[in-house]
Amino acid sequence: MMNSKENKRLIVLLLGLIAMFLGLILYLSYFTVFEAKTIVDHPANRRDSIKVAGIKRGAILDSKGNVLAETVGEKYNYTRHYTYPRAYSHVIGYASKTKGRSGLEATYNDALLGLNSGKTLKDLQAFFDSDIDTEVGDNMTLTTNSNIQEFVRETLIETDKKGAIVVMNPTTGAILAMASSPDFNAQNIDQDYNAIVEQNNGAFFNNAIQGGYAPGSVFKIVTAAAILESDVDQSYEDTGEEVILGRAIKNAGGEKYGDIDLNEAFTYSVNTYFANKAVAIGKDKFTEVAERFMMNKDIDFDLNLATSTFKSEGWDQHALGSAAIGQADILTTPLQMTLITNAIANQGKIMAPYLVERITSPEGATIQTHEPTVLSEAITPENAQKLAEMMENVVRQGSGRGAQIRRTAVAGKTGTAQTRQADGSYNAWFVGFAPVKDPKVSVAVILQDSEKFGGEVAAPIAADIMEFALGELN
């Protein structure tokens, strides 16, 4: 028989064991709910690396079904093979066991590992069907055309300049091709990585979506849209310079155009005209129009797209006049300038840009598909038509004559943006679309540190690309 003292000790012991047991349950519950993902995602978690090494990463294909990236080899010793390791280096990126991931390989890592497509259901199906392999990732089909992609990349590299080219379908927002120079070889990333980092020439930097450039005169598309929406007088007498707050804004080459209207000013890219009209429009209206063209707006995209900025706070009238010609505190990516061009080609509507058309399971079932969506209604269809006609004039008789192609009317705008360097070099731009009456392709070209104007070097490149792309699409 235990006495009362022993009974009390036994009760205290039992209560202590119960408290310890409850504490263990609470700790494990907290760990499972709040800390498990952090631990799983921790770089030092070798268990996750081993698990990933056992999964056959899904393939990436272009719009015609050509394989762009695939996984080869034996389980736990898989390797990634890239069909176009340079042409797609800034789009697909790389997936390396030692250097990590970049590009779409990073953005869609979970999908390519098959972690997004009902893993529990798949495990259950595999329990009853031995033909289903749960350790195979999903496949991804892009919007790109690899012939256009290779042509664009080779054309850009031949310029021997840093820069970028974007080619899109203006009516859907689908990216047909996108290249940035310099680039790298994704297939050799493990061997080349350290040397690329040491060279420090921006090979890993995607200029098409992350480069912030002064747009120069290609931004006159936005300024002209603001003029069309305003009730300002569209006539102007050009004397070769417009003095604002004691400082002069001059035309390229010291040209004087006399009495002109908006159409002539746009065709010949008359700086003084646009500076004068921007001051008349005012900062608030100009900013409102720019933001409808998605300036200052974050845009959801399959890759990390930098926000293009139109920071008008604090601008005086001279800064406003400079902004009208794409200088002042304006920075834009080449993809953003393609979207602005798309608004003119697509009756005022900007479609959301996208690279991934669909994701499918290894068995071919569709898991995710992209439907074209309107990002912004930047201007009215009537004003878009007027701007398209002005852009056509630029290519027919203005600064963009170098963008003419055979048997197809092209609409476009040239730009030559001053840089902060004092060596007489510029950022040379051209944006445009074709055919004017039924746009199927839009393009933005920028070459950094060019000694020549956009109409001289960027427009002919755009012409070659549009002609090639239209041939491919037909």
Side-chain angles (χ1 to χ4, degrees):
M1 294 287 293
M2 289 187 292
N3 57 35
S4 61
K5 193 172 181 180
E6 289 173 328
N7 283 338
K8 287 181 181 177
R9 286 178 178 171
L10 184 57
I11 291 172
V12 170
L13 178 62
L14 286 173
L15 289 175
L17 288 172
I18 291 171
M20 288 175 62
F21 185 67
L22 289 174
L24 181 62
I25 291 174
L26 288 172
Y27 174 76
L28 290 175
S29 299
Y30 171 83
F31 185 85
T32 302
V33 174
F34 297 105
E35 298 291 340
K37 189 172 190 315
T38 303
I39 299 299
V40 168
D41 292 342
H42 195 283
N45 183 4
R46 287 283 299 149
R47 184 176 179 180
D48 186 55
S49 299
I50 294 170
K51 177 183 175 184
V52 169
I55 298 175
K56 187 175 184 181
R57 199 174 179 83
I60 301 175
L61 305 93
D62 71 4
S63 60
K64 292 188 172 181
N66 299 309
V67 175
L68 307 177
E70 63 182 336
T71 300
V72 297
E74 300 297 325
K75 191 168 186 176
Y76 297 112
N77 196 28
Y78 289 131
T79 58
R80 200 67 166 156
H81 176 263
Y82 297 99
T83 312
Y84 305 92
R86 282 195 175 275
Y88 276 98
S89 60
H90 285 291
V91 176
I92 293 175
Y94 55 81
S96 163
K97 295 174 184 174
T98 58
K99 306 303 180 188
R101 297 175 288 272
S102 72
L104 293 175
E105 292 274 30
T107 306
Y108 286 89
N109 182 57
D110 284 357
L112 291 166
L113 290 175
L115 302 179
N116 288 342
S117 54
K119 187 73 167 55
T120 304
L121 176 62
K122 198 171 182 179
D123 288 342
L124 187 62
Q125 291 172 328
F127 182 79
F128 295 102
D129 186 349
S130 60
D131 291 335
I132 295 178
D133 188 347
T134 61
E135 295 191 325
V136 178
D138 297 326
N139 299 319
M140 191 161 69
T141 300
L142 308 187
T143 57
T144 56
N145 177 305
S146 293
N147 289 338
I148 301 175
Q149 180 71 30
E150 276 208 302
F151 185 83
V152 164
R153 188 261 170 184
E154 289 171 6
T155 301
L156 180 59
I157 294 301
E158 284 175 2
T159 67
D160 200 28
K161 295 285 186 186
K162 289 186 177 181
I165 298 174
V166 179
V167 185
M168 293 182 71
N169 179 332
T171 62
T172 65
I175 305 284
L176 301 174
M178 183 167 68
S180 176
S181 174
D183 56 22
F184 60 93
N185 187 328
Q187 195 64 57
N188 298 336
I189 193 64
D190 289 340
Q191 303 93 305
D192 296 348
Y193 187 90
N194 291 340
I196 294 172
V197 171
E198 286 180 11
Q199 289 169 3
N200 194 28
N201 69 345
F204 286 143
F205 191 79
N206 188 341
N207 293 306
I209 58 172
Q210 295 171 334
Y213 300 96
S217 289
V218 292
F219 202 74
K220 287 172 181 167
I221 296 171
V222 177
T223 313
I227 293 171
L228 287 171
E229 286 190 14
S230 306
D231 57 0
V232 299
D233 181 3
Q234 294 185 13
S235 64
Y236 179 72
E237 181 181 358
D238 174 47
T239 61
E241 69 175 24
E242 176 74 19
V243 178
I244 305 174
L245 298 178
R247 288 175 287 171
I249 292 176
K250 300 182 179 181
N251 293 325
E255 295 286 344
K256 299 176 184 179
Y257 294 91
D259 292 329
I260 55 174
D261 59 14
L262 174 58
N263 186 30
E264 292 167 304
F266 193 89
T267 300
Y268 300 106
S269 203
V270 183
N271 289 339
T272 54
Y273 178 96
F274 287 94
N276 175 278
K277 300 307 176 190
V279 172
I281 292 167
K283 184 169 64 179
D284 291 345
K285 178 63 179 177
F286 196 8
T287 303
E288 177 209 326
V289 174
E291 291 189 345
R292 265 190 273 127
F293 279 95
M294 299 307 293
M295 299 296 292
N296 295 337
K297 303 288 186 182
D298 293 334
I299 298 174
D300 190 24
F301 185 52
D302 295 311
L303 297 173
N304 184 23
L305 174 61
T307 301
S308 295
T309 56
F310 185 89
K311 297 299 184 186
S312 57
E313 301 91 348
W315 281 357
D316 61 17
Q317 290 193 335
H318 186 272
L320 189 57
S322 297
I325 60 174
Q327 297 291 157
D329 194 8
I330 302 176
L331 292 175
T332 179
T333 64
L335 178 57
Q336 170 69 33
M337 280 313 308
T338 319
L339 296 180
I340 289 173
T341 305
N342 289 353
I344 313 307
N346 193 36
Q347 302 182 57
K349 294 179 181 177
I350 298 177
M351 306 302 290
Y354 66 105
L355 266 166
V356 177
E357 183 74 49
R358 63 182 175 277
I359 296 174
T360 54
S361 71
E363 295 77 31
T366 299
I367 295 168
Q368 176 184 320
T369 186
H370 180 94
E371 295 295 333
T373 55
V374 176
L375 193 62
S376 174
E377 296 192 22
I379 51 174
T380 65
E382 294 76 20
N383 284 343
Q385 177 62 33
K386 292 175 183 176
L387 276 164
E389 292 169 2
M390 285 191 270
M391 291 174 70
E392 187 176 1
N393 284 340
V394 169
V395 176
R396 182 186 297 146
Q397 62 190 63
S399 56
R401 292 189 297 277
Q404 294 176 0
I405 59 180
R406 291 174 297 175
R407 296 187 293 277
T408 303
V410 174
K413 186 72 190 80
T414 60
T416 305
Q418 295 177 349
T419 66
R420 297 184 187 279
Q421 300 177 29
D423 60 356
S425 63
Y426 310 94
N427 287 337
W429 282 92
F430 181 87
V431 297
F433 61 90
V436 174
K437 300 299 182 187
D438 182 22
K440 297 192 181 308
V441 60
S442 59
V443 62
V445 177
I446 181 171
L447 302 178
Q448 292 179 227
D449 304 326
S450 171
E451 296 78 24
K452 296 183 178 180
F453 290 178
E456 297 176 273
V457 291
I461 289 173
D464 290 343
I465 289 170
M466 285 187 282
E467 189 164 30
F468 184 87
L470 289 172
E472 276 292 312
L473 298 175
N474 288 332

